[in-house]
Amino acid sequence: MSTPETYDVVVIGSGAAGATAALRAAERGLSVLIVEKAHKFGGTSAASGGVIWVPNHQFTPNDDSREKSLAYLDALIKKPVKRDRLEAYVDQAPEMLRFVKSMGVPVSPAPYYPDYFPTAPNARVDRSVICETFDGQLLGPRFPLMREQYARFKILNRYAMDVMQFFAISTRGPGWIKTFLKMAWTYWSDLSTRLLTKRDRRFTQGAALMGHLYKQIFDRKVEVRLATKLDDLIVTDGKVSAVTVNSYGRRYNINARHGVVLAAGGFEWNQELRDRYFTVPGLTRHSSTPEDANRGEALIAGLKVGADVEHTESAWWIPTMHIPMESRSNFEDIVQAAFDVGRPHSVCVNRNGHRFVNEAGSYDEFGAAMVADQVKTGANTPCWLVFDATFRQKFTAGGIMPTILMPDRSIPPDWWDQYIFRADTLDALAAKIHVPTAALKKTVDDMNQYAASGVDPQFSRGANPYDQMFGDANVKPNPCLGPIGNAPYYAVAINLGDLGTKGGLKCDAQARVLDASDKPIPHLYAAGNNSASPFGNLYPGAGGTIGPGMTFGYVAANDIAARAGKV
């Protein structure tokens, strides 16, 4: 057997957490290898919205502060968390952001993203940070090797959308047709890329963030080794000293002089771990992360060397639905329905026909409400999104496009009464989806009264800025409440989906993995979704997953560099 390779730092996983750890370590003068199980790099982050939640970033003058940020979090966190780790996040996240910007990653605040609990003390609208569009061709021959965005982030599975384009088109805001035509022109006029691939060279949202990060990583000659899976961690003299990896059946070791950073995502695609840890396990196939990617290999490897876990009972929830893949009807796509469930002219009900949540609230709260209602009634997971022809004309329902793009006549016949249900009356729709007719009609009647008054006395739908951001400004008096009375009526099943797992390896404020006695396992670090969230079960705002992932990747690299004498 050949002599193992040796690097100062081995990073497992190529998403935002791993990329930030690798970039910071390389900038501090350490030799770095990124190991990625998939055939493409970028991780779940490349297929995400790419938003980074960073309190008190001070990129623009404002009155946010460390104290206000912690007060906002303290008002919302509902379970014990490690205080020093939470404070380390609030303190280090702005430093991380300044670092990546200094490296050439163009990040800036998005002042249109309210915190997910806008009525909580010290909530703000400027803590979420986004990244400018990236020209994928700057990656050179690696351009096609970065994980591609899902169809949901593209129009007609072709034209990449940035956040503002998404808002304009999804809500049919002023100028949305012009926005779409400009996107199409940019795409088709790019002849050099069209000769190479169907993929849009405009990397937006999560792809933009990862494109910019990897441009800097590759400029620093850091290797990303694809199709290489972590099998085991090797401990020598009480320290994690190497990793055993597997590539196309070949197992070999790679030495790590100063540290291993586990940044390989959560365990949402491992049904055994979901059944072991989650309150309501749900199904792997309902996850909206890349299929069969995050199976918890890093978590399992950590457990083998004595690591502990925490906050593993739930995921970063998001409602999803499934539809057949285009031109491959025997296979199904999972499609996010995060904002569709709160649009006017619709209501979400459990299988008893009752509402259980403010449908326009954050997608994580929607999922948490599904879990709570399933525990209480046994009649959720899935629930139903019920809507009328007005909604159908204006909005998406998961993978069902508005009628201007997908009229009823164009929906494949095998979708009807399997993936989307339609009936001329609510009685007939209730019968098709096996929901009690009287209960569904009573719920719809209540919603119509709420639409007329503009007030939802049950769940306060549309009563705060976050809810209203995804409503319809043309609907009065409440943009999230529209009458449900324009036949035909429709329904789609909504699953308990996720964006990854909230819990994982227990870590301290330095991102060091802890054992059952809360002692660090020497030279082992974790960041991102294979580590436990510093917020416990809270999802504080847009980017509440990527923000901690990048921050603790940065913190881990700093701690490793300090031990290695790289100041």
Side-chain angles (χ1 to χ4, degrees):
M1 190 173 185
S2 58
T3 303
E5 306 167 84
T6 299
Y7 294 84
D8 290 330
V9 184
V10 176
V11 177
I12 307 297
S14 67
T20 306
L23 181 58
R24 180 60 168 172
E27 190 269 341
R28 296 288 293 269
L30 297 165
S31 61
V32 185
L33 172 69
I34 300 175
V35 173
E36 170 55 56
K37 177 178 74 171
H39 292 79
K40 295 192 175 186
F41 64 87
T44 304
S45 305
S48 75
V51 185
I52 314 164
W53 193 75
V54 178
N56 194 32
H57 52 68
Q58 295 298 323
F59 268 28
T60 53
N62 61 46
D63 62 349
D64 200 5
S65 67
R66 179 183 195 272
E67 293 70 28
K68 290 180 179 180
S69 302
L70 287 169
Y72 171 73
L73 293 167
D74 288 340
L76 297 167
I77 291 174
K78 298 174 183 176
K79 62 177 296 188
V81 298
K82 290 187 175 299
R83 186 68 190 182
D84 60 342
R85 183 166 161 81
L86 181 67
E87 293 188 8
Y89 173 67
V90 171
D91 292 337
Q92 293 296 313
E95 294 296 324
M96 175 277 296
L97 205 60
R98 281 189 280 275
F99 163 70
V100 297
K101 188 161 189 174
S102 73
M103 291 291 100
V105 180
V107 287
S108 59
Y112 41 78
Y113 263 127
D115 287 338
Y116 282 171
F117 300 87
T119 60
N122 297 290
R124 300 182 64 86
V125 295
D126 56 1
R127 288 174 173 147
S128 292
V129 173
I130 58 173
C131 191
E132 292 177 13
T133 297
F134 177 75
D135 180 356
Q137 292 280 38
L138 293 176
L139 294 177
R142 299 183 180 94
F143 166 44
L145 292 178
M146 196 175 95
R147 188 186 292 280
E148 190 166 358
Q149 287 176 298
Y150 294 117
R152 60 179 170 263
F153 289 118
K154 296 179 280 187
I155 294 292
L156 303 177
N157 198 22
R158 191 180 295 270
Y159 313 120
M161 293 184 291
D162 63 29
V163 173
M164 296 309 295
Q165 290 166 337
F166 167 76
F167 285 159
I169 293 170
S170 66
T171 62
R172 291 199 190 183
W176 75 272
I177 294 177
K178 183 178 179 181
T179 297
F180 170 72
L181 292 175
K182 184 178 179 181
M183 289 166 56
W185 167 252
T186 301
Y187 178 90
W188 288 109
S189 62
D190 180 16
L191 298 179
S192 62
T193 307
R194 296 292 69 77
L195 293 172
L196 174 67
T197 175
K198 174 185 172 182
R199 186 172 183 175
D200 197 331
R201 73 186 285 173
R202 293 177 64 249
F203 284 12
T204 59
Q205 301 188 57
L209 173 64
M210 301 313 295
H212 282 291
L213 282 171
Y214 273 98
K215 174 66 168 62
Q216 302 305 319
I217 286 169
F218 292 136
D219 283 352
R220 286 159 179 79
K221 311 300 181 186
V222 173
E223 179 187 355
V224 179
R225 193 165 299 177
L226 301 177
T228 304
K229 180 177 74 72
L230 172 70
D231 273 358
D232 286 301
L233 298 166
I234 297 174
V235 177
T236 305
D237 297 328
K239 300 176 182 178
V240 172
S241 60
V243 297
T244 301
V245 298
N246 189 319
S247 181
Y248 300 103
R250 181 175 74 93
R251 297 181 83 243
Y252 62 98
N253 295 342
I254 304 169
N255 291 330
R257 288 190 192 92
H258 301 298
V260 172
V261 181
L262 301 177
F267 59 84
E268 65 272 14
W269 281 94
N270 187 318
Q271 191 65 49
E272 181 183 349
L273 292 180
R274 294 177 74 105
D275 292 343
R276 181 192 306 176
Y277 290 125
F278 282 1
T279 304
V280 173
L283 297 177
T284 57
R285 63 192 293 262
H286 293 156
S287 176
S288 71
T289 63
E291 185 175 0
D292 210 30
N294 298 326
R295 293 184 51 80
E297 288 95 345
L299 173 69
I300 293 167
L303 291 173
K304 287 181 182 178
V305 298
D308 199 4
V309 298
E310 63 178 351
H311 309 321
T312 51
E313 64 273 19
S314 63
W316 304 101
W317 301 121
I318 192 166
T320 62
M321 68 167 288
H322 58 278
I323 58 173
M325 288 184 179
E326 185 180 351
S327 76
R328 292 186 292 277
S329 65
N330 287 343
F331 298 89
E332 292 181 340
D333 254 338
I334 291 296
V335 184
Q336 292 178 353
F339 310 117
D340 305 339
V341 292
R343 308 284 196 197
H345 313 289
S346 72
V347 65
C348 285
V349 296
N350 65 15
R351 297 192 303 277
N352 294 329
H354 301 142
R355 290 178 75 204
F356 57 93
V357 69
N358 167 16
E359 299 93 334
S362 81
Y363 39 88
D364 184 63
E365 286 294 288
F366 189 100
M370 290 182 72
V371 170
D373 189 62
Q374 177 66 19
V375 170
K376 178 182 177 182
T377 69
N380 213 306
T381 65
C383 61
W384 292 99
L385 170 62
V386 175
F387 51 98
D388 71 356
T390 303
F391 178 105
R392 174 87 181 88
Q393 290 162 9
K394 289 185 174 184
F395 307 117
T396 56
I400 310 298
M401 296 293 105
T403 52
I404 191 172
L405 296 174
M406 185 186 282
D408 281 5
R409 66 178 180 275
S410 74
I411 292 178
D414 56 309
W415 290 23
W416 290 111
D417 296 341
Q418 303 295 330
Y419 300 94
I420 178 170
F421 297 75
R422 178 183 60 187
D424 291 332
T425 66
L426 282 173
D427 297 67
L429 184 69
K432 282 190 172 186
I433 63 176
H434 303 286
V435 166
T437 303
L440 179 61
K441 292 179 74 174
K442 173 66 165 59
T443 296
V444 170
D445 285 345
D446 288 345
M447 291 299 289
N448 288 339
Q449 293 178 36
Y450 305 161
S453 68
V455 177
D456 169 15
Q458 282 186 287
F459 296 103
S460 300
R461 175 167 162 176
N464 67 64
Y466 178 83
D467 290 11
Q468 295 163 12
M469 184 168 63
F470 300 104
D472 183 346
N474 296 313
V475 173
K476 308 293 183 182
N478 185 325
C480 299
L481 294 171
I484 307 167
N486 185 11
Y489 300 93
Y490 301 83
V492 296
I494 299 296
N495 302 313
L496 179 63
D498 62 70
L499 299 166
T501 48
K502 283 179 180 168
L505 296 169
K506 185 189 292 186
C507 296
D508 66 10
Q510 288 76 47
R512 299 176 298 184
V513 176
L514 302 176
D515 65 16
S517 301
D518 273 359
K519 294 179 180 178
I521 297 174
H523 291 201
L524 184 62
Y525 298 78
N529 283 352
N530 63 199
S531 64
S533 168
F535 311 130
N537 284 344
L538 175 68
Y539 199 155
T545 56
I546 292 179
M550 293 179 68
T551 298
F552 285 107
Y554 171 81
V555 167
N558 283 342
D559 198 72
I560 294 169
R563 280 195 300 98
K566 302 285 188 177
V567 252

